Amino acid sequence: MARKTEITLPRVDDRLRSVGIIMDGNGRWAKKRLLPRSAGHIAGAKIVERVLEDFKAMGVHHITLYAFSTENWKRPKEEVDGLMALLYKYLDEVVAPKILRDGDFSVRFLGDKSVLSEKLRNKCIEIENMLTDAPFVCNIAFNYGGRDEIVHAVNEALKEGCSPITEEDIRRHLYTAGSPDPDLIIRTGGDFRVSNFLIWQGAYSEYYVTETLWPDFDREEIIKAYDAFYSRKRRFGGLDPEDSGNQN
Ligand code: FPP
């Protein structure tokens, strides 16, 4: 039997340029092993690079990871502090060396950085500035909320004097400005919820939910998500070209 890492990854076409991931289930993964929740987050961070590499190999150019939501501040202080420290360590020890070594990913942070510690904020800015025109883009949604993003964008449009505000005015001021909307949003951990993730950009995304917990998200899972995406017919509110001549 082929080892999981030997599973060949399929190539995508223009229909699948951008993927968003709600990385849920770290806590349950840890609980199943009688470990603290922090161990689940550490295990979750460990697989991020491999997942990015796999999507890159498939030809997906934009990946958006939901790492910390505006609602996650409600978690116990110990867990919040742990997630902040984990992100810093990950950026410092994995992301920065990877950008220097491979030069393949530009990293952008979606969300309000102003409330992060100065040390973490500066690290995020340093990472963003390391490479701005790489062929692949990884967006890390951190202190991110879709509603917050829309309010922020509307306020920016008002400051510009837009009246009335158009969809394009809002789009221009989203944290994701310039990136394509996600074609596919994957949620691990089995819940059928949007959780305030890319609520503007995901208006016509295809959703794929798997029971698999984030730290266990492997190549087989990526291929299942790929197969699910390509089995869907995306109509964006219109009609399938095959049916458009049929008035009945
Ligand atoms: C949700 O699982 C996950 C999070 C709130 C944090 C996600 C963070 C990581 C995967 C690691 C850091 C990320 C990067 C980009 C380095 P949960 O804790 O809500 O799980 P549960 O539903 O099982 O409790």
Side-chain angles (χ1 to χ4, degrees):
M1 206 174 99
R3 287 211 347 255
K4 281 184 179 178
T5 48
E6 289 164 1
I7 296 172
T8 310
L9 291 164
R11 291 283 300 177
V12 300
D13 57 20
D14 280 352
R15 284 175 288 176
L16 188 44
R17 290 178 302 163
S18 175
V19 171
I21 310 183
I22 302 176
M23 307 181 289
D24 198 14
N26 294 346
R28 278 165 283 166
W29 183 94
K31 194 173 175 191
K32 270 170 64 180
R33 290 162 179 78
L34 306 178
L35 294 169
R37 293 178 58 81
S38 58
H41 295 315
I42 292 167
K46 277 206 182 118
I47 73 154
V48 166
E49 190 179 4
R50 198 252 310 139
V51 172
L52 285 179
E53 286 298 326
D54 281 354
F55 277 112
K56 183 179 96 178
M58 291 165 72
V60 174
H61 282 261
H62 297 261
I63 300 283
T64 303
L65 303 170
Y66 203 11
F68 191 89
S69 75
T70 44
E71 288 71 35
N72 286 152
W73 295 102
K74 294 182 205 151
R75 294 190 178 203
K77 184 174 181 317
E78 193 190 339
E79 182 169 348
V80 170
D81 289 348
L83 281 165
M84 298 291 154
L86 180 61
L87 181 72
Y88 183 89
K89 190 172 152 67
Y90 190 78
L91 296 178
D92 196 43
E93 295 178 7
V94 180
V95 178
K98 176 174 168 51
I99 294 174
L100 288 175
R101 186 182 67 237
D102 302 334
D104 49 357
F105 275 97
S106 296
V107 175
R108 288 203 308 182
F109 292 88
L110 315 182
D112 178 10
K113 292 192 210 62
S114 70
V115 294
L116 305 181
S117 72
E118 194 181 350
K119 186 178 162 197
L120 180 56
R121 185 170 57 249
N122 288 341
K123 181 57 74 182
C124 294
I125 294 167
E126 179 194 321
I127 296 279
E128 280 182 326
N129 290 336
M130 280 178 83
L131 191 58
T132 50
D133 57 354
F136 296 89
V137 176
C138 173
N139 294 314
I140 300 180
F142 200 85
N143 189 27
Y144 172 87
R147 289 179 177 175
D148 171 72
E149 179 182 37
I150 293 168
V151 170
H152 168 82
V154 170
N155 280 320
E156 290 300 309
L158 285 174
K159 273 191 229 159
E160 273 186 355
C162 303
S163 176
I165 293 173
T166 64
E167 287 195 10
E168 194 39 50
D169 295 328
I170 294 179
R171 184 176 290 282
R172 229 164 355 101
H173 291 293
L174 294 174
Y175 295 124
T176 52
S179 284
D181 289 342
D183 301 299
L184 169 66
I185 294 181
I186 297 170
R187 180 169 188 141
T188 60
D191 284 325
F192 285 77
R193 271 200 292 277
V194 176
S195 297
N196 209 7
F197 182 57
L198 302 180
I199 53 177
W200 177 283
Q201 301 86 336
Y204 282 99
S205 302
E206 295 297 327
Y207 266 81
Y208 174 77
V209 176
T210 172
E211 288 290 328
T212 297
L213 305 174
W214 173 249
D216 294 327
F217 188 75
D218 59 13
R219 268 194 189 177
E220 264 181 281
E221 285 294 328
I222 291 179
I223 292 170
K224 279 189 214 161
Y226 168 96
D227 287 343
F229 177 82
Y230 278 103
S231 71
R232 312 254 177 100
K233 279 189 178 173
R234 300 185 79 192
R235 292 184 291 274
F236 300 96
L239 289 182
D240 201 315
E242 284 169 27
D243 301 330
S244 55
N246 181 358
Q247 300 304 309
N248 298 317

